[in-house]
Amino acid sequence: MKTYNSFINFLCSLMAIDIPDVYYHYKNQYYDLEKSEIKPFEMDENIKSFVIPDENSVYLNLDCMENDLDVYMVLAHEIRHCAQYQATEGIGLADIADRDIMYQWKKEFSRFSTHENTSQEVELDANAFAWFIGKVMFGAKIKLNCDEALVKPYKKYICRNYSLTEIKERLDYSGFELGQTQA
């Protein structure tokens, strides 16, 4: 049973948010961050993940993941949704986005669905954040499932807001070990 706790801690430390509850499904096992067995949860067998932002909960279907990088990118995306929601509630970093974007996020979260609408502001930002983490930490070229022109401003904003020094400090704090990566 793998939990990815140090990577989750890294992401939450980087965005200064409360650590979400993360629940895993893997080969008919259901468990949490502590590797404790949990009640099975409903999830389409072809869906990699979903988030319930107002509960600060992330659900992962590890059976759908291709490799650890896939898991890391999905976690970055879903935990960014947790950060977005927390920002709209006054938790975490105030500079995660400008006031107008956070207002739009709040509207989108009021009608949030676990089925992605890739043109929503929350999705564009979460995609850009996962792209950033993939590029900076793993040297990976992450293909996004959204319009590049729409996501580009989010990529720029995120690149300006996180320094390599900050990332390295958060890595040290979290205990996540990169191995053969870029950061």
Side-chain angles (χ1 to χ4, degrees):
M1 282 191 237
K2 200 164 186 181
T3 60
Y4 304 91
N5 288 352
S6 60
F7 185 70
I8 293 165
N9 290 337
F10 160 73
L11 293 171
C12 294
S13 175
L14 183 64
M15 294 184 283
I17 63 166
D18 294 337
I19 296 171
D21 294 320
V22 180
Y23 303 104
Y24 301 92
H25 169 245
Y26 182 64
K27 295 185 178 179
N28 296 320
Q29 293 180 315
Y30 294 85
Y31 58 97
D32 63 14
L33 287 170
E34 305 299 321
K35 298 183 181 179
S36 297
E37 186 176 331
I38 62 167
K39 180 182 171 187
F41 51 86
E42 297 273 329
M43 184 178 225
D44 185 336
E45 65 185 39
N46 298 319
I47 300 290
K48 290 182 179 184
S49 63
F50 67 90
V51 63
I52 302 177
D54 60 337
E55 294 178 9
N56 201 31
S57 298
V58 175
Y59 296 81
L60 297 174
N61 183 355
L62 296 178
D63 290 336
C64 290
M65 307 289 182
E66 294 177 28
N67 51 41
D68 280 348
L69 180 62
D70 197 16
V71 177
Y72 294 139
M73 295 305 91
V74 167
L75 280 167
H77 179 97
E78 299 298 4
I79 291 174
R80 182 65 173 193
H81 285 315
C82 293
Q84 293 163 338
Y85 184 81
Q86 288 181 35
T88 67
E89 298 296 311
I91 302 167
L93 295 176
D95 66 353
I96 191 172
D98 67 37
R99 194 181 330 253
D100 292 338
I101 295 294
M102 287 201 299
Y103 176 75
Q104 181 63 33
W105 289 350
K106 194 164 191 83
K107 284 182 13 184
E108 290 176 6
F109 280 125
S110 72
R111 57 184 187 273
F112 192 77
S113 167
T114 58
H115 302 291
E116 289 184 12
N117 175 350
T118 59
S119 64
Q120 285 185 324
E121 304 288 334
V122 291
E123 287 302 324
L124 293 169
D125 178 76
N127 281 329
F129 185 75
W131 167 85
F132 174 78
I133 294 296
K135 179 179 179 182
V136 171
M137 292 190 56
F138 303 102
K141 293 186 180 200
I142 305 300
K143 182 172 175 9
L144 300 177
N145 62 342
C146 58
D147 184 327
E148 182 61 34
L150 293 175
V151 80
K152 190 173 185 177
Y154 292 92
K155 286 180 175 181
K156 286 182 178 182
Y157 189 87
I158 288 167
C159 288
R160 281 193 313 266
N161 275 1
Y162 295 102
S163 70
L164 290 179
T165 301
E166 181 181 21
I167 289 170
K168 288 181 180 181
E169 287 172 358
R170 297 295 139 216
L171 281 172
D172 290 344
Y173 176 79
S174 72
F176 181 68
E177 294 192 19
L178 285 168
Q180 303 296 319
T181 59
Q182 298 291 328

